[in-house]
């Protein structure tokens, strides 16, 4: 036995070696054929189905489910991929409880929606396991498009462009493609290297070259891209992290949640990954939940999420909150960070102030509480880092700190489109990034064909 | 407590639930288990002459399934018993002796010669069995040899064989009818003419349950080939009930006792058959699907319902629905209904809309004032009931009759308080002729 959960400070190997695999296993194990058929049979094949409207990529859900029910999972996968080439990842990571499944009429009827996400996974897994490709790349049009960022937005954009025969080069700053699919999504949502397998599946259409380790702003400039390519798509996601604005936050042990998760996702041995004994996560969204749950699963003794408003204001869905609770994470509300208490430059505790809403505005009450903490994770939102866009000559118009786009994903610059988390119209979901990447590709294709 | 004891053509059993002649009744072992489980009676698996027939050695059953692989329809190419006549007779005798309060009826099928029937009837009488059932129904295999449904499809043969049997035994004779015929009243009349004490129906329906698309051969597939089988189970219940009702309301066979068979799975199924005129019921597929224990549910459910409705004995329910089975031409054309959607219960799946819109009368909205909303348009609704049938929520859509004096928005006519049917309708050429 290692020092276990009670070892002070930030330490690795809190669990018995055999416990890691179980803790980080598939959150929703895949359906087998029979389970999928039984579940598919629950779908009412609604007219003008509300679930389709609720899906940002507008997958024809009743049709793909009917195809599963009739024993045609391949046809089902095609129905899904027609709208969403990352349907496999979306099946795993979409907060379906606030998207398609919330709209399912069986949710209204009995509080038990058809499990659309798991059915979608069944169909897409079947096709991907068989290596079945549904789309042929036509003869090259000779048009060249640069895509910046190999996240969901960039990949969806690249695939749709390849479907039209354009030659796509994807520039990705990180050593691996996939964006947050590879570096951000909770480990138990995408097990067994699925993110890379999906990138391979998407790029198998041909005509998509990914150049890893190439960052816009560092290795290339936007001016070079607009000069050297017929069109450019920016799908760079959010590179920055909001500061706590609490005194002493530079202390060792105050980390950003996204960085912690990225490290976890890339760790070849989870037992070697250090985590605090007492962990406090500041934030109220999906990232906060993911960081807290995964810290707990790594063996932290005590994990507390502190959110500065009430439960109903949390961005994390009820389902996500329940998941955290089920994993032993405590969620506390109406607390905002004031001061990191450090000893020798290392965090020991965090002092928080109670808050309340006064006429819609948040205000501190003056009352404070101090929570012991060996590690504090910041999960209070990410920001777009415009630095990469520097040197592009005329600057790109921004809106609320992100890139401004029109309904077709076009930026203020000629030949430049954008989508995903980096645009103002996004809502920080994988599926929305896919929809925006795809739709921008359609608009680019129309422009290129002119 | 309601009295569910059954007296069927003088054969007494503690309840009206018999096992039909089929694998569940092929051996002493099975029948004893059935009686222990509570079944009121059995019709022993059909006996034939020695040497016994042989069955195929490949698969003999096929099926169709609903959600969660619930078995909805079942089919078989099994023949009659493949055991020696003497073995069966000995076991029948032993069972009847050990279970005197249960009904033991023996199903028979021998070639169409009076001597053959005479001989087997004599052998069966020895067993002290309560009665015989003549299997004129088996639609596969045996019919190729001039037996089973080959007899059941020719009313003259039915009458002839029945008459032989009545002349040669003191036991009650039940004639089991095949549904593989256009009008079941003819074989039933023939059975009655031959002196049958009762008819039982239905036997299985000619069917192919599936085609193997890799081999392009019907299922169940035997070495690459298949033959039609006999269809039974829940899917055949509506067909069987209609046939029972046709016989029950036919003036020529009125009062002829009927043992109802076909897809009976629950107490409710049984109650429905009995309301349509069946004096008792027989069950095969449900037992083969779930085992003998289902009879507990049937007994308890029937008693509970009878108690709740104040039906003291089976006589109070048998045939109660028969007077209400009418010809179409006598249905009241002044009875006007409209669909009504309960907005509280509506889950907005839109199935009623698309069904009515695409395939019927364009009488349900999908959008009202820009909002998803499903509502019946009275001016278009013909009251067909399609929306009720496709709605996934029970009681969400109901058919409401218009009161007399109200104007039907669709026709512009006031609903009449009186009864009027097709026979007197102005559009009926025959009615006009009659009126002139
Ligand atoms: C911790 C966490 C958990 C999440 N969980 C979920 C979830 O469960 N479900 C869900 O739907 N959404 C979830 N999200 C949100 C989701 O991951 C994002 O909305 C989605 O990944 C956005 O896709 P994108 O392509 O716009 O950006 P990203 O996925 O961020 O991809 C952007 C890519 O661009 C690259 N890049 C950035 N700058 C440059 C540059 N200058 N040059 C070249 N390349 C560059 C990045 O390296 C990255 O690969 C989560 C987010 C986080 C942070
Ligand atoms: C496997 C099998 C074998 C059968 N064998 C006979 C038989 O030997 N004699 C007979 O009269 N009916 C036979 N039947 C028909 C049943 O007795 C019964 O009439 C028919 O299955 C309909 O009832 P159910 O829907 O409850 O199964 C057989 C049915 C099945 C499924
Ligand atoms: S009863 Fe028939 S016509 Fe009337 S609304 Fe329903 S489906 Fe349409």
């Amino acid at each position: 036995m290692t020092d276990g959960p009670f070892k002070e400070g930030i330490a690795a190997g809190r669990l018995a070696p055999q416990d890691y695999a179980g803790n980080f296993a598939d959150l929703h194990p895949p359906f087998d054929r029979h389970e999928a058929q039984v579940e598919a049979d629950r779908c009412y094949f609604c007219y003008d189905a509300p679930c389709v409207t609720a899906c940002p990529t507008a997958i024809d859900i009743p049709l793909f489910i009917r195809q599963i029910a009739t024993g045609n999972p391949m046809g089902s996968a095609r129905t899904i991929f027609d709208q969403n080439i990352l349907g496999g990842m979306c099946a795993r990571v979409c907060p379906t409880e606030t998207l398609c499944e919330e709209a399912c009429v069986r949710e209204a009827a009995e509080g038990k929606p058809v499990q659309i996400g798991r059915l979608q996974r069944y169909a897409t897994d079947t096709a991907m396991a068989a290596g079945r490709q549904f789309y042929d790349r036509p003869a090259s049009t000779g048009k060249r498009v640069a895509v910046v960022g190999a996240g969901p937005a960039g990949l969806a954009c690249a695939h749709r462009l390849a479907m039209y025969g354009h030659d796509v080069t994807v520039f990705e700053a990180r050593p691996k493609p996939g964006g947050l699919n590879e570096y951000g999504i909770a480990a138990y949502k995408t097990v067994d290297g699925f993110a890379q397998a999906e990138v391979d599946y998407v790029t198998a259409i041909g005509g998509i070259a990914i150049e890893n380790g190439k960052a816009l702003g560092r290795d290339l400039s936007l001016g070079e891209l607009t000069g050297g390519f017929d069109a450019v798509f920016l799908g760079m996601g959010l590179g920055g992290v909001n500061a706590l604005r609490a005194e002493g936050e530079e202390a060792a042990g105050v980390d950003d949640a996204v960085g912690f998760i990225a490290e976890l996702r890339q760790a070849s041995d989870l037992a070697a990954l250090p985590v605090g004994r007492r962990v406090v996560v500041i934030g109220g969204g999906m990232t906060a939940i993911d960081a807290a749950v995964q810290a707990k699963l790594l063996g932290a003794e005590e994990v507390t999420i502190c959110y500065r408003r009430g439960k109903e204001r949390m961005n994390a869905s009820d389902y996500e909150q329940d998941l955290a609770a089920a994993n032993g994470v405590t969620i506390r509300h109406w607390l905002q960070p004031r001061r990191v208490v450090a000893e020798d430059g290392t965090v020991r505790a965090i002092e928080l102030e109670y808050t309340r809403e006064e006429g819609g505005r948040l205000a501190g009450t003056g009352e404070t509480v101090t929570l012991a903490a060996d590690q504090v994770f910041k999960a209070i939102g990410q920001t777009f880092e415009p630095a990469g866009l520097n040197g592009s000559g005329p600057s790109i118009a921004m809106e609320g700190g992100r890139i401004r786009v029109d309904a077709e994903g076009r930026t203020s610059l000629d030949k430049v489109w954008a989508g995903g988390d980096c645009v103002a119209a996004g809502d920080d979901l994988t599926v929305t990034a896919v929809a925006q990447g795809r739709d921008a590709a359609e608009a680019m294709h129309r422009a290129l064909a002119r | 407590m309601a009295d569910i004891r059954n007296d069927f053509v003088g054969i007494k059993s503690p309840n009206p639930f018999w096992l039909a002649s089929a694998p569940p009744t092929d051996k002493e072992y099975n029948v004893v288990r059935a009686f222990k489980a509570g079944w009121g009676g059995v019709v022993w698996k059909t006996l034939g002459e020695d040497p016994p027939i042989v069955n195929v050695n490949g698969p003999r059953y096929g099926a169709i399934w609903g959600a969660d692989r619930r078995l909805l329809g079942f089919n078989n190419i099994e023949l009659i018993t493949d055991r020696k006549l003497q073995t069966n007779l000995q076991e029948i005798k032993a069972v009847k002796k050990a279970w005197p309060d249960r009904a033991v009826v023996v199903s028979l099928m021998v070639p169409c010669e009076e001597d053959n029937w005479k001989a087997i009837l004599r052998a069966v009488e020895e067993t002290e069995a309560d009665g015989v059932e003549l299997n004129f129904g088996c639609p596969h295999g045996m019919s190729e040899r001039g037996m089973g449904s080959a007899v059941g499809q020719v009313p003259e043969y039915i009458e002839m064989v029945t008459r032989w049997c009545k002349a040669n035994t003191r036991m009650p004779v039940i004639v089991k009818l095949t549904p593989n015929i256009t009008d079941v009243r003819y074989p039933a009349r023939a059975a009655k003419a031959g002196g049958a004490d009762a008819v039982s129906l239905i036997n299985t329906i000619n069917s192919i349950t599936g085609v193997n698309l890799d081999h392009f051969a019907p299922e169940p597939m035997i070495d690459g080939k298949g033959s039609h089988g006999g269809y039974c189970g829940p899917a055949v219940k509506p067909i069987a009930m209609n046939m029972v009702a046709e016989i029950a309301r036919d003036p020529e066979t009125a009062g002829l006792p009927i043992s109802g068979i076909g897809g009976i799975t629950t107490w409710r199924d049984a109650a429905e058959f009995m309301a349509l005129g069946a004096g008792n019921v027989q069950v095969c597929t449900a037992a083969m699907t779930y085992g003998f224990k289902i009879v507990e549910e049937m007994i308890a459910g029937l008693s509970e319902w009878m108690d709740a409705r104040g039906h003291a004995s089976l006589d109070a329910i048998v045939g109660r629905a028969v007077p209400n089975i009418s010809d179409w031409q006598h249905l009241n054309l002044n009875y006007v209904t409209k669909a009504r959607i309960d907005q509280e219960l509506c889950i907005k799946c839109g199935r009623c809309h698309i069904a009515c819109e695409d395939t019927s009368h364009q009488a349900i909205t999908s959008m009202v004032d820009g909002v998803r909303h499903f509502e019946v348009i009275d001016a278009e609704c013909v009251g067909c009931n399609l929306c009720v049938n496709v709605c996934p929520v029970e009681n969400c859509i109901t058919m409401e009759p218009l009161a007399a004096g109200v104007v039907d928005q669709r026709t512009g006519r006031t609903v009449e308080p009186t009864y009027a049917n097709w026979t007197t309708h102005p559009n009926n050429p025959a009615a006009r002729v009659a009126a002139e």
Side-chain angles (χ1 to χ4, degrees):
Chain A
M1 185 67 198
T2 53
D3 289 316
F6 309 125
K7 181 160 188 212
E8 290 297 330
I10 301 178
R14 290 185 180 275
L15 304 176
Q18 67 273 16
D19 290 342
Y20 288 94
N23 276 8
F24 287 90
D26 221 336
L27 182 59
H28 300 293
F31 277 146
D32 68 20
R33 185 173 162 278
H34 178 71
E35 287 172 310
Q37 266 174 335
V38 171
E39 189 62 18
D41 210 81
R42 297 184 61 231
C43 171
Y44 288 144
F45 202 69
C46 296
Y47 164 72
D48 189 16
C51 53
V52 180
T53 315
C55 171
T57 54
I59 294 171
D60 190 339
I61 295 165
L63 181 61
F64 96 66
I65 293 180
R66 195 172 179 82
Q67 288 169 308
I68 292 174
T70 59
N72 180 13
M74 288 295 172
S76 176
R78 189 188 170 125
T79 301
I80 295 162
F81 290 139
D82 277 350
Q83 289 295 103
N84 181 338
I85 193 67
L86 273 76
M89 184 60 80
C90 288
R92 291 163 165 77
V93 308
C94 276
T96 51
E97 65 279 7
T98 58
L99 299 169
C100 51
E101 291 178 20
E102 181 177 58
C104 177
V105 300
R106 296 200 78 146
E107 169 65 27
E110 64 212 278
K112 267 204 211 128
V114 175
Q115 295 181 61
I116 299 168
R118 290 180 82 185
L119 286 171
Q120 181 170 319
R121 175 166 172 190
Y122 170 76
T124 52
D125 278 4
T126 304
M128 288 172 74
R132 176 76 181 269
Q133 288 286 326
F134 296 102
Y135 311 98
D136 294 324
R137 186 175 129 81
S140 169
T141 60
K143 302 281 186 193
R144 300 176 64 238
V145 180
V147 168
V148 181
L155 289 171
C157 179
H159 186 269
R160 188 53 64 106
L161 290 166
M163 277 171 66
Y164 287 121
H166 306 307
D167 294 310
V168 185
T169 307
V170 183
F171 298 102
E172 167 55 53
R174 300 238 204 190
K176 282 193 208 167
L180 289 171
N181 288 355
E182 175 62 32
Y183 292 95
I185 297 295
Y188 42 78
K189 288 187 189 168
T190 166
V191 299
D192 299 331
F194 181 77
Q196 289 310 305
E198 186 174 54
V199 172
D200 292 343
Y201 182 77
V202 170
T203 53
I205 186 174
I208 303 174
I210 301 185
E211 298 193 16
N212 293 317
K214 285 270 175 62
L216 182 67
R218 184 183 75 201
D219 309 309
L220 327 134
S221 72
L222 189 51
E224 281 169 55
L225 294 185
T226 50
F229 290 84
D230 297 297
V232 177
F233 176 79
L234 303 175
M236 303 150 74
L238 303 173
V241 176
N242 284 326
L244 286 183
R245 275 176 282 153
E247 191 189 323
E249 69 177 283
E250 58 297 329
V254 180
D255 301 314
D256 82 62
V258 178
F260 163 67
I261 294 168
E263 223 183 305
L264 189 149
R265 285 293 309 275
Q266 299 307 308
S268 52
D269 176 15
L270 290 171
L273 196 69
V275 70
R277 175 178 178 182
R278 299 184 189 86
V279 176
V280 172
V281 182
I282 308 295
M286 199 117 75
T287 305
I289 300 276
D290 286 359
V293 170
Q294 290 176 108
K296 190 78 196 166
L297 294 176
L298 280 176
E301 183 194 355
E302 199 177 285
V303 179
T304 311
I305 292 175
C306 295
Y307 177 57
R308 61 188 177 144
R309 296 178 194 268
K311 176 177 165 64
E312 57 296 333
R313 293 288 295 272
M314 287 181 77
N315 268 335
S317 66
D318 286 347
Y319 170 79
E320 300 271 340
Q321 296 181 41
D322 290 348
L323 180 72
N327 280 286
V329 172
T330 306
I331 304 182
R332 298 185 63 165
H333 302 105
W334 303 111
L335 284 175
Q336 66 184 12
R338 261 213 357 205
R339 190 168 68 90
V340 172
V341 183
E343 259 172 44
D344 305 328
T346 301
V347 59
R348 284 279 167 257
I350 181 160
E351 182 185 304
L352 303 118
E353 180 183 13
Y354 281 93
T355 56
R356 64 167 170 251
E357 254 171 68
E358 284 168 3
R361 293 192 53 126
L362 195 70
T365 64
E367 186 190 351
T368 61
V369 61
T370 300
L371 301 179
D374 316 291
Q375 195 166 26
V376 172
F377 286 124
K378 298 179 278 185
I380 50 174
Q382 291 169 267
T383 52
F384 178 60
E385 280 191 329
L389 300 174
N390 292 348
S392 53
S395 65
I396 242 176
M398 304 287 283
E399 183 183 336
R402 304 195 191 184
I403 301 170
R404 190 175 80 205
V405 288
D406 67 11
E408 295 200 325
R410 195 187 294 266
T411 68
S412 61
L413 294 184
D414 192 31
K415 300 212 296 199
V416 182
W417 278 259
D421 286 358
C422 67
V423 304
D427 60 7
D428 297 354
L429 289 177
T430 307
V431 65
T432 307
V434 171
Q436 291 173 340
R438 175 198 71 191
D439 293 348
E442 291 287 346
M444 293 164 95
H445 170 66
R446 284 193 295 274
L448 291 172
R450 242 178 255 138
Chain B
M1 266 293 274
D3 180 0
I4 62 164
R5 282 176 303 171
N6 187 228
D7 181 339
F8 189 75
V9 295
I11 304 171
K12 298 199 166 52
S13 54
N15 61 57
F17 306 111
W18 291 6
L19 283 166
S21 171
T25 62
D26 196 15
K27 290 199 302 292
E28 180 178 5
Y29 179 84
N30 305 77
V31 172
V32 167
R33 286 180 68 85
F35 285 163
K36 283 185 181 157
W39 289 88
V42 297
V43 181
W44 204 274
K45 172 74 180 176
T46 307
L47 307 186
E49 293 180 342
D50 283 339
I53 57 84
V54 295
N55 271 303
V56 294
N57 297 299
R60 58 177 94 154
Y61 304 141
I64 63 161
W65 298 272
D68 208 359
R69 224 176 138 81
R70 181 199 285 228
L71 189 143
L72 296 181
F74 190 57
N75 129 316
N76 81 89
I77 54 168
E78 177 176 285
L79 303 184
I80 60 176
T81 184
D82 53 14
R83 305 190 317 148
K84 274 218 179 75
L85 179 60
Q86 209 48 45
T87 311
N88 276 304
L89 292 170
Q90 276 160 11
E91 291 185 7
I92 292 165
K93 187 165 188 170
V95 169
K96 184 63 212 182
K97 195 163 184 307
W99 297 85
D101 71 323
R102 308 301 169 94
V104 178
V105 172
V106 180
S107 172
L108 299 175
M109 184 195 290
V110 292
C112 261
E113 301 289 344
E114 184 166 10
D115 287 343
N116 301 56
W117 285 95
K118 212 180 203 170
I120 199 158
L121 285 166
R122 200 170 304 131
V124 172
E125 280 188 352
E126 298 269 291
T127 66
E128 315 271 332
D130 298 296
V132 291
E133 184 180 81
L134 314 186
N135 179 351
F136 296 156
C138 188
H140 45 266
M142 301 313 291
S143 53
E144 295 168 13
R145 305 172 201 178
M147 293 181 267
S149 64
V151 178
Q153 286 166 339
V154 183
E156 292 77 11
Y157 293 171
I158 295 177
E159 183 176 339
M160 175 179 75
V161 179
T162 308
R163 184 161 288 129
W164 291 339
C165 291
K166 281 305 289 179
N168 286 295
T169 180
R170 55 169 169 79
M171 295 182 289
V173 173
I174 303 167
V175 174
K176 185 164 180 179
L177 302 179
T178 175
N180 299 304
I181 189 155
T182 27
D183 188 340
V184 78
R185 291 175 302 180
Y186 290 88
R189 288 170 189 165
K192 188 174 181 195
D197 296 280
V199 289
S200 58
L201 69 158
I202 59 173
N203 207 309
T204 55
I205 306 176
N206 286 339
S207 63
I208 292 175
T209 45
V211 175
N212 183 313
L213 290 179
D214 295 326
H215 294 93
F216 287 106
E219 300 277 15
M221 191 174 67
I222 289 154
D223 193 23
K225 306 260 189 241
S227 76
H228 74 257
Y231 199 43
C232 50
V236 310
K237 179 186 151 197
I239 298 165
M241 290 209 297
N242 174 58
M243 290 188 167
V244 166
E246 285 294 287
I247 296 171
R249 75 191 190 94
D250 178 8
E252 291 193 36
T253 48
L256 178 66
I258 301 169
S259 185
I261 319 172
I264 294 161
T265 310
T266 66
W267 73 266
R268 181 180 290 275
D269 299 330
E272 289 175 16
F273 269 88
M274 295 176 82
L276 289 173
N280 73 3
V281 296
Q282 299 183 29
V283 175
C284 169
T285 303
M288 289 183 72
T289 309
Y290 302 108
F292 290 145
K293 190 179 163 69
I294 53 165
V295 75
E296 288 178 30
E297 177 282 322
M298 293 178 164
I299 292 169
L302 185 67
S303 311
E304 175 65 28
W305 168 71
M306 287 173 64
D307 283 346
R309 296 301 158 107
H311 303 305
S313 69
L314 298 179
D315 293 341
I317 58 173
V318 170
R320 280 283 288 276
V322 176
N324 292 329
I325 311 163
S326 165
D327 285 343
W328 190 97
Q329 60 179 338
H330 296 129
L331 297 175
N332 185 1
L333 294 175
N334 283 346
Y335 180 74
V336 182
T337 59
K338 299 284 176 193
R340 291 283 171 262
I341 301 175
D342 182 335
Q343 297 300 331
E344 294 284 299
L345 291 176
C346 176
I347 59 172
K348 301 190 168 48
C349 67
R351 278 168 54 161
C352 57
H353 163 80
I354 202 62
C356 191
E357 186 73 15
D358 276 354
T359 72
S360 295
H361 302 93
Q362 297 75 47
I364 299 183
T365 64
S366 62
M367 197 73 90
V368 174
D369 298 332
V371 186
R372 191 174 172 85
H373 183 82
F374 303 95
E375 194 176 284
V376 175
I377 303 161
D378 280 6
E380 304 296 339
C381 177
V382 304
C384 71
N385 212 33
L386 175 64
C387 51
V388 174
N389 294 140
V390 303
C391 177
V393 180
E394 217 178 331
N395 295 326
C396 173
I397 311 184
T398 46
M399 299 305 304
E400 305 294 340
L402 295 186
V406 170
V407 175
D408 177 353
Q409 300 292 317
R410 184 175 70 87
T411 58
R413 279 198 289 273
T414 305
V415 177
E416 301 288 340
T418 50
Y419 160 90
N421 65 38
W422 175 244
T423 60
T424 56
H425 195 279
N427 286 19
N428 181 351
R432 225 169 324 166
V433 170
E436 275 159 14

